[in-house]
Amino acid sequence: MHLIMILNALAVAWWLRSSWSQHQGNWSLRWGRSLFLFLFPPLLIFMTAIAVLFMGPQGQMGGMYTGSISYVVALIYLAFFAILCIKLAFQGWQSVESARNCPLVNLGDKRARLLQTGALFAGQIGFWQPELVISQGLLQTLSPRHLESVLAHEQGHHYYRDTFWFFWLGWVRSCTAWLPNTEPLWEELLALRELRADGYAALQVDPLVLAESLLLVVSSSPVLSEICCAALGSSGADRLEQRIEALLAPPKATQEPQLQSWHGFLLALLPLVAVIFHS
């Protein structure tokens, strides 16, 4: 019976991920849909494995005897999740330590770590309290107005705690790389993250100046890992046109997903109800 639960969860997860297709629309709708299809399938599988682990390798459920095979499968899967989390956390810690080895510089009322490279880079690196890291090449290339727009964009990443939340989303990405549309959904979420930070910055600086800065930075090669990093050009050149068009449109505040949009995730807890019927 436990094996049937696992197979059902896998089938639902596969079906949901397969149903995704890229849509145009406002930020809030795209974010809610993409985040649900990215997170719900692995959350359903995870909760199913937790339920099987709680019920144990022996007993009855729905008049059917349970075996140890499903228990071992669930245990292996959860161990795989844990190992990947530790691996990504260690890589993130290395990125943070590398950033902390860079000297501090003052940029008006802000402080940043100075990366000794000619590449154009600006990003937040860290977990809940990230640090701003900016390259020597960016300081030498951008005018004060363009630099101000870049800093406003990075402040947007800091405001939304993007490095923290996308560390966990990146963990989910690694754990479910075998599910369909994992990479397209990940790229979509990255692009929407950048659109959100662009929208935050556009309320403080000239959007046209930010668009010019974006053109310069995105054309430069990335210099740091994505792990625990939210940088101006992290969504890549393939989404550049979309971001430029959004910046040139009339600026408006980004709407946060409403509370009711999160209710769908509660359905992922349904496998835990099966524990009640286990004996």
Side-chain angles (χ1 to χ4, degrees):
M1 189 62 182
H2 291 174
L3 196 57
I4 293 174
M5 284 179 58
I6 293 173
L7 292 175
N8 283 338
L10 290 173
V12 171
W14 193 277
W15 172 72
L16 282 174
R17 279 291 188 84
S18 299
S19 68
W20 181 80
S21 60
Q22 190 173 346
H23 289 280
Q24 297 299 321
N26 66 57
W27 181 92
S28 183
L29 288 175
R30 288 174 61 189
W31 176 265
R33 185 173 185 273
S34 298
L35 188 63
F36 178 81
L37 292 177
F38 186 80
L39 271 183
F40 183 85
L43 187 60
L44 179 65
I45 297 171
F46 183 77
M47 288 302 166
T48 302
I50 289 288
V52 170
L53 209 62
F54 268 110
M55 289 185 284
Q58 296 178 346
Q60 287 187 6
M61 183 177 171
M64 300 176 64
Y65 285 97
T66 59
S68 59
I69 296 177
S70 54
Y71 182 83
V72 172
V73 169
L75 195 61
I76 291 173
Y77 192 74
L78 291 175
F80 174 67
F81 261 54
I83 291 169
L84 277 179
C85 184
I86 294 170
K87 176 186 175 183
L88 290 175
F90 178 71
Q91 291 174 346
W93 174 79
Q94 286 182 314
S95 296
V96 171
E97 287 300 303
S98 177
R100 286 176 179 169
N101 289 330
C102 298
L104 279 168
V105 293
N106 292 317
L107 302 172
D109 59 340
K110 296 181 178 64
R111 302 187 76 187
R113 297 284 179 178
L114 184 62
L115 198 61
Q116 301 291 340
T117 176
L120 305 184
F121 175 83
Q124 297 284 344
I125 297 179
F127 292 90
W128 185 254
Q129 288 289 351
E131 286 193 274
L132 176 63
V133 177
I134 197 163
S135 69
Q136 184 72 44
L138 194 74
L139 291 179
Q140 294 173 346
T141 303
L142 297 189
S143 67
R145 290 183 68 211
H146 288 93
L147 182 59
E148 181 188 6
S149 68
V150 171
L151 296 180
H153 173 93
E154 295 307 324
Q155 183 59 35
H157 284 310
H158 188 278
Y159 176 79
Y160 291 112
R161 308 290 181 182
D162 283 335
T163 52
F164 177 79
W165 297 117
F166 272 79
F167 167 77
W168 295 109
L169 290 176
W171 173 50
V172 171
R173 171 202 181 195
S174 299
C175 293
T176 57
W178 49 273
L179 281 175
N181 290 319
T182 296
E183 284 306 308
L185 276 167
W186 171 252
E187 292 299 326
E188 174 77 351
L189 289 173
L190 282 180
L192 292 171
R193 179 188 76 177
E194 296 307 312
L195 284 170
R196 181 171 64 179
D198 288 343
Y200 179 94
L203 297 175
Q204 304 175 54
V205 298
D206 186 348
L208 183 59
V209 175
L210 178 58
E212 292 171 351
S213 303
L214 181 60
L215 284 169
L216 288 171
V217 175
V218 171
S219 62
S220 177
S221 300
V223 295
L224 288 174
S225 168
E226 282 183 350
I227 301 172
C228 300
C229 176
L232 181 66
S234 60
S235 66
D238 54 335
R239 301 298 179 108
L240 180 60
E241 182 180 353
Q242 181 182 165
R243 293 177 63 184
I244 296 296
E245 288 177 356
L247 283 170
L248 298 182
K252 55 184 177 181
T254 301
Q255 292 183 339
E256 289 296 307
Q258 300 299 314
L259 181 61
Q260 56 266 28
S261 66
W262 296 95
H263 288 171
F265 287 99
L266 295 177
L267 294 174
L269 302 178
L270 283 177
L272 297 179
V273 178
V275 177
I276 302 172
F277 302 101
H278 186 269
S279 60

